[in-house]
Every structure is written in C-alpha cells, then in structure tokens.
Amino acid sequence: MDHQRGFQQGEHQGECKAELALKVIQGRWSVLILRELVDGIQRFSDLQRALEGVSQKVLTAQLRDLEADGVVHRTIHPEVPPRVDYALTDLGIELLPVLDGLHAWGERQADFNAASR
Amino acid sequence: MDHQRGFQQGEHQGECKAELALKVIQGRWSVLILRELVDGIQRFSDLQRALEGVSQKVLTAQLRDLEADGVVHRTIHPEVPPRVDYALTDLGIELLPVLDGLHAWGERQADFNAASR
DNA sequence: CTGTATCCAACTGGATACTG
DNA sequence: CAGTATCCAGTTGGATACAG
C-alpha cells in the first residue's frame, strides 16, 4: 500500500482536513447547487427552479453557508425588483475535480449495491 | 472551463453519484475509521481506543453502515472471548485517493477560513 | 424577486446500563 | 470482548406565512 500522504498524515489525533471539506459539501443541496453553478452565474430563482423541491428558507441557508465557506460568491444588484446572483469562487472551482472523484467512486459503489442483491 | 465530465454529467435531474458517495462517508466517525484501517486490520477495541470519544453503540452502527456499503469487511473469530476485526475492502481502498483529494482541498479551505478573519 | 420568521418532524449521535 | 437496548438532546431540513 502506498497511500502514505494526504488524509492519513499525522498521528491520527482526530484532526483531519478531509472532515473539514466534508462539512462544506454536506448539506442536502450543496452538491446540487455547485453542479448548477458549473454552467455559470445563476440567479436565486434559477437555482430554486433547477433544484426542484427546495424551499426558499433552505436554499437561502445553504447558499449562505457556501458563501461563508468561500465556495460561492453572492452579488446583489440594487434594483427593484431585487436581483441577486451566485457564482463559484476560485476555491469553489477547485472543488470540482474533487466532486468528480467522489462521483467516479460513487459509480463503483453503486455497482456494489446492485451486485449485493 | 473544461470540467465537462464527471458529476456534472446528464441533465442535472437531481440524481448524482457524488451524493451517493457522500452518504457513505458522512458519518461522524466514518473518515476517522477509514483512516485507522489504512494501517491494516484493526479489532473493535483497537478502533474504540483510537477514536477517542466514540461510544460502543455509535462505533458499532458506523461500522455496520460501512460494511453494508461495501467499504469495510468484518471478520468474526469464533472464540471466547469473542474477537472481531475490520479491514478495508477493495472498494474501500479505492476510496483513499478520493479522501486525499478532500483532504487537499480542505487545507486550501482552511487557508480561506484563516484569511477571512 | 429574494429573502426572514415560526413551528415542527425526522434523523444522528451520545450517555448509560445490560448481555452472550 | 463485542456488542444490544433505552432514553435523550442537538441539528437539519421542510411547510407555511409574511416582508422589503
């Protein structure tokens, strides 16, 4: 085995940056939001339409969390009616390959699930 | 932007394998358990000692989940007193690079957190 | 249009005690 | 040693109504 770097580092004292990353994308809609934003800037209402089933309160909360984590940028246009749009930050863009990795592994895991029936 | 493959695929209809992968490693202790198992087979009591703060009930539950997800293998030795040990499956080993990716991104995210104070 | 404010049900994890 | 069984508190997300 040669995975001697990365999340296994240190004395296994509980502190692990992989967990930090997980906290960021743990939300029920976080990954889905990020996926929508890959296509570019989206307005609040665009996201709400794309993410069928999300309520205003929850969508707002998840976007605020992602913003606080530096993954998403929020722009308020001072107009009437108000317009707000969301975009990935550089940090958010750097997250995309990681999500690709999760996705790829998820496909293999799905195969396992299918096989174990 | 050239991230046109992976978790962004499809018509964004909500079904996403990255979320499936996340479900597997979402547990409070899942990543920590996996990290312990990188070093090789571990007994239940080894894990409980390494993961300071986990209760028997919760550790059992998380291990059962990881086993059901095909990430961990459980071996019962029919002895008295009982001995049970846990190891990564092939699928579990394939998860390690993904966790490395999360870890690496987590470090950059930590930098952001540090900078935004 | 883009939120906030309440209330609430479900789920997760923790404390503790007991068992084969 | 390696669990199970209860009970319980905190958090998350959803339904709904209201507001700038």
Side-chain angles (χ1 to χ4, degrees), chain B residues 37-104:
Chain B
L37 293 180
V38 170
D39 299 333
I41 294 171
Q42 303 286 332
R43 298 182 55 167
F44 184 86
S45 49
D46 293 331
L47 293 172
Q48 190 170 21
R49 205 170 314 110
L51 279 45
E52 210 169 345
V54 71
S55 70
Q56 286 179 326
K57 177 199 140 182
V58 172
L59 179 54
T60 302
Q62 307 249 324
L63 285 167
R64 288 292 194 288
D65 287 346
L66 291 172
E67 190 190 4
D69 291 329
V71 167
V72 153
H73 181 67
R74 177 167 170 250
T75 306
I76 307 170
H77 302 274
E79 309 168 356
V80 178
R83 180 160 62 96
V84 178
D85 48 41
Y86 295 88
L88 292 177
T89 61
D90 289 345
L91 189 59
I93 291 171
E94 289 167 11
L95 190 49
L96 298 181
V98 181
L99 293 175
D100 283 339
L102 280 167
H103 181 90

Side-chain angles (χ1 to χ4, degrees), chain A residues 28-29 57 62 82:
Chain A
R28 168 74 179 80
W29 302 95
K57 175 199 141 183
Q62 308 250 322

